Amino acid sequence: MTGITKDHPRYESLITREKIVEGVNMGITSKQGLVAQGRGEAFDYILGEKTIESAAIAERAAVAYILLAKNPIISVNGNTGALVPDQLVSLADITGARLEVNLFHRSDARVHKITEHLKAHGAGVVLGGKGDKRLDLSHDRAIVDEEGIFSADVVLVPLEDGDRCQKLVEMGKTVITIDLNPLSRTSLTSTVTIVDNVTRALNNMIQFTKDMKGGSKDSLQAVIDAYDNDRVISDALYSMQEHLKNKAEEKGITWI
Amino acid sequence: MTGITKDHPRYESLITREKIVEGVNMGITSKQGLVAQGRGEAFDYILGEKTIESAAIAERAAVAYILLAKNPIISVNGNTGALVPDQLVSLADITGARLEVNLFHRSDARVHKITEHLKAHGAGVVLGGKGDKRLDLSHDRAIVDEEGIFSADVVLVPLEDGDRCQKLVEMGKTVITIDLNPLSRTSLTSTVTIVDNVTRALNNMIQFTKDMKGGSKDSLQAVIDAYDNDRVISDALYSMQEHLKNKAEEKGITWI
């Protein structure tokens, strides 16, 4: 890691970048994953690098769906494996969901490395190594475990490809995504779209699970029934616009 | 290169991504450069992946400055070396500017590789290897050639760090930057801020140089005198906002 001091205004963002570069060095993250990280950074910058209120609402709805699910699965790729292994393991533990490694640029070696990495961070069972079922997709994210994503009723897919998201929704699953671009195909297709940085989102979801876990099924269902995903997406766009406007004004640039 | 077909809606963007990954494989681009590429991709997506009118105005002003300069230098880093070597060489040729390699993550090996890469693409003189002067900065972009960036009156720095940009401006130089984030320190500090993708910007500047080169000094000066950088930045922000709004409406998302 490079010497980034805590007083740097963009400390969190820079540390995240270092972690993902480290993921590439460890063979967990693909080089394309670094580009994806950069895309996320830019959208997060526009969002103000904070959890907006509508994202917190989406995170609570996501937790409600996971807690009510029969077979909830958390999909892990090379970026989340490198960035948030502890949070993935904690969220799985506390909700009872299972982790499944699923990669766009798949190789047995990478699946194995990510699995071992998650186990080193405390994970028990990690699915994804069998790959005994295929979704109807032309790339490697098609390869899933029968007992995992294939038969899951709720799938949390932080940092997702649009076409797999669409496929999972078509299969009748509840799909929860974490995507900083509110207009991506993933965001527009998901059941629950969390427009937030993946580190913040998972930290929040762990906290919300602690708060909500003791509640009745009815109270969790009520959270789901009150949830409006289109409104969440509209609000994320509005928040981005507002943040840019405030930033521009702060810097003396006329907003036209 | 992966098999990306020309009919893909985001063909140009995906090819650019492949080129930059190839740059890392060649030892020209740093891994951090891939993250920077992703940031640019996101801002370009928000801009609509096209040259907006105000960017073309900035590109014309930039050409006027370069054509009137005594010692214009085009700074090359690991991203532009990988992405646009042909355009850098052409622009230097046609304007009479010289190329200088200047890296944030500097090593002699990388400076050498980028120099050789530019020469393989037709460059004559490539500065940056001497590094016989320092700017007052704490990182490696401080290292410059005395006959190059140090004594230049006009510096074109596509994809720049904010603090070097500021330093060059403080030294009294005309600084032209290409940066897709209109609110970055670089964009706000530069003499001419081109909010455009680096490939499109350089292609345009080569064309504009052909158009403008035969003109009188007075006509070039008139282009500079009429130029308003703050207006260009305001317009870029406005264009991003409009593009997001149109995109949202097209996708049936309410704009609030």
Side-chain angles (χ1 to χ4, degrees):
Chain A
M1 300 249 172
T2 338
I4 301 160
T5 51
K6 282 215 171 188
D7 58 354
H8 193 289
R10 301 192 50 255
Y11 175 78
E12 292 295 340
S13 171
L14 293 173
I15 285 294
T16 302
R17 190 185 291 188
E18 290 298 315
K19 274 192 199 163
I20 201 100
V21 168
E22 183 59 23
V24 174
N25 295 338
M26 287 165 72
I28 285 180
T29 311
S30 71
K31 293 201 184 86
Q32 286 79 358
L34 289 180
V35 182
Q37 170 66 22
R39 285 180 74 100
E41 272 186 18
F43 282 107
D44 202 17
Y45 168 94
I46 293 170
L47 197 64
E49 293 174 347
K50 63 180 186 301
T51 299
I52 57 174
E53 209 182 305
S54 58
I57 291 171
E59 286 155 4
R60 283 180 189 278
V63 166
Y65 271 116
I66 294 171
L67 290 176
L68 287 178
K70 287 195 183 102
N71 183 19
I73 299 288
I74 302 172
S75 184
V76 181
N77 72 1
N79 282 43
T80 51
L83 284 180
V84 281
D86 291 326
Q87 288 90 335
L88 290 167
V89 171
S90 296
L91 187 65
D93 269 355
I94 196 171
T95 59
R98 286 180 299 167
L99 301 169
E100 175 165 341
V101 177
N102 180 274
L103 306 177
F104 190 87
H105 298 274
R106 185 185 176 104
S107 74
D108 286 345
R110 269 185 76 216
V111 173
H112 180 74
K113 270 187 186 160
I114 297 170
T115 303
E116 291 308 305
H117 186 65
L118 291 169
K119 287 187 174 169
H121 284 265
V125 180
V126 179
L127 305 173
K130 273 192 204 154
D132 49 355
K133 278 283 180 184
R134 276 193 75 91
L135 309 179
D136 181 22
L137 291 169
S138 62
H139 55 69
D140 285 355
R141 288 201 89 158
I143 305 168
V144 295
D145 278 16
E146 181 165 15
E147 61 169 315
I149 289 171
F150 191 79
S151 61
D153 51 348
V154 174
V155 189
L156 167 64
V157 272
L159 318 182
E160 174 58 327
D161 305 296
D163 53 353
R164 187 173 70 135
C165 180
Q166 207 161 347
K167 188 58 61 187
L168 293 170
V169 169
E170 279 167 26
M171 289 169 80
K173 301 178 193 304
T174 295
V175 181
I176 303 158
T177 55
I178 304 174
D179 189 332
L180 280 155
N181 175 3
L183 290 176
S184 71
R185 189 158 44 137
T186 296
S187 290
L188 297 176
T189 314
S190 309
T191 320
V192 178
T193 303
I194 298 170
V195 184
D196 202 0
N197 166 299
V198 71
T199 309
R200 292 194 306 267
L202 292 178
N203 283 336
N204 292 341
M205 286 172 75
I206 291 164
Q207 188 53 51
F208 294 158
T209 305
K210 289 176 187 165
D211 301 343
M212 294 163 70
K213 214 182 164 180
S216 66
K217 282 196 176 183
D218 282 355
S219 70
L220 294 173
Q221 190 58 50
V223 171
I224 290 171
D225 292 343
Y227 182 69
D228 180 347
N229 203 53
D230 282 353
R231 204 188 156 108
V232 159
I233 293 173
S234 288
D235 181 77
L237 284 167
Y238 174 76
S239 300
M240 285 180 170
Q241 193 199 181
E242 280 301 292
H243 182 69
L244 272 186
K245 189 176 165 177
N246 291 340
K247 227 179 162 89
E249 280 169 0
E250 195 182 285
K251 298 189 185 223
I253 295 295
T254 310
W255 184 261
I256 50 175
Chain B
M1 300 248 171
T2 339
I4 301 160
T5 52
K6 281 214 168 186
D7 58 352
H8 192 289
R10 300 192 49 255
Y11 174 79
E12 291 296 339
S13 170
L14 294 173
I15 285 295
T16 302
R17 191 186 291 189
E18 291 298 316
K19 274 192 201 162
I20 202 100
V21 169
E22 182 59 21
V24 174
N25 295 338
M26 288 165 72
I28 285 180
T29 311
S30 71
K31 293 200 183 86
Q32 286 80 357
L34 289 180
V35 182
Q37 170 66 22
R39 285 180 75 100
E41 271 186 18
F43 282 107
D44 203 16
Y45 168 95
I46 293 170
L47 197 62
E49 293 175 348
K50 63 180 185 301
T51 299
I52 58 174
E53 210 182 304
S54 58
I57 290 171
E59 287 155 4
R60 282 180 190 278
V63 167
Y65 271 115
I66 294 171
L67 289 176
L68 287 178
K70 287 196 184 102
N71 183 19
I73 299 287
I74 302 172
S75 184
V76 181
N77 72 2
N79 282 42
T80 51
L83 285 180
V84 281
D86 290 327
Q87 287 91 333
L88 290 166
V89 171
S90 294
L91 187 64
D93 269 355
I94 196 171
T95 60
R98 285 180 301 167
L99 301 169
E100 175 165 341
V101 177
N102 180 273
L103 306 177
F104 189 86
H105 298 275
R106 186 186 176 102
S107 75
D108 286 344
R110 269 186 76 217
V111 172
H112 181 73
K113 270 188 187 160
I114 296 171
T115 302
E116 290 308 306
H117 185 65
L118 291 169
K119 287 188 174 171
H121 283 266
V125 179
V126 179
L127 305 172
K130 272 192 206 156
D132 49 356
K133 278 284 179 182
R134 276 193 75 93
L135 309 179
D136 180 22
L137 291 169
S138 62
H139 56 68
D140 285 354
R141 289 202 88 160
I143 304 167
V144 295
D145 278 16
E146 180 165 16
E147 61 170 315
I149 288 171
F150 191 79
S151 61
D153 51 348
V154 174
V155 190
L156 168 63
V157 272
L159 319 181
E160 175 58 325
D161 306 296
D163 54 352
R164 189 175 67 134
C165 181
Q166 206 160 349
K167 190 56 63 186
L168 293 171
V169 169
E170 279 168 25
M171 288 169 80
K173 300 178 194 303
T174 295
V175 181
I176 303 158
T177 54
I178 304 174
D179 189 333
L180 280 155
N181 175 3
L183 290 177
S184 72
R185 188 158 44 138
T186 296
S187 289
L188 296 176
T189 314
S190 309
T191 320
V192 177
T193 304
I194 298 170
V195 184
D196 202 359
N197 166 299
V198 71
T199 309
R200 292 194 306 267
L202 291 178
N203 283 337
N204 292 341
M205 286 172 75
I206 291 164
Q207 188 53 52
F208 294 158
T209 306
K210 288 177 188 165
D211 301 344
M212 294 162 71
K213 211 182 166 181
S216 65
K217 283 195 175 185
D218 283 355
S219 69
L220 294 174
Q221 190 59 49
V223 171
I224 290 171
D225 292 343
Y227 182 71
D228 180 346
N229 203 52
D230 283 351
R231 203 187 157 110
V232 158
I233 292 173
S234 288
D235 182 76
L237 283 166
Y238 174 75
S239 299
M240 285 180 169
Q241 193 200 181
E242 280 300 292
H243 182 70
L244 271 186
K245 188 177 167 181
N246 292 338
K247 228 178 161 89
E249 280 170 0
E250 196 180 284
K251 298 188 186 223
I253 296 295
T254 310
W255 184 261
I256 49 177

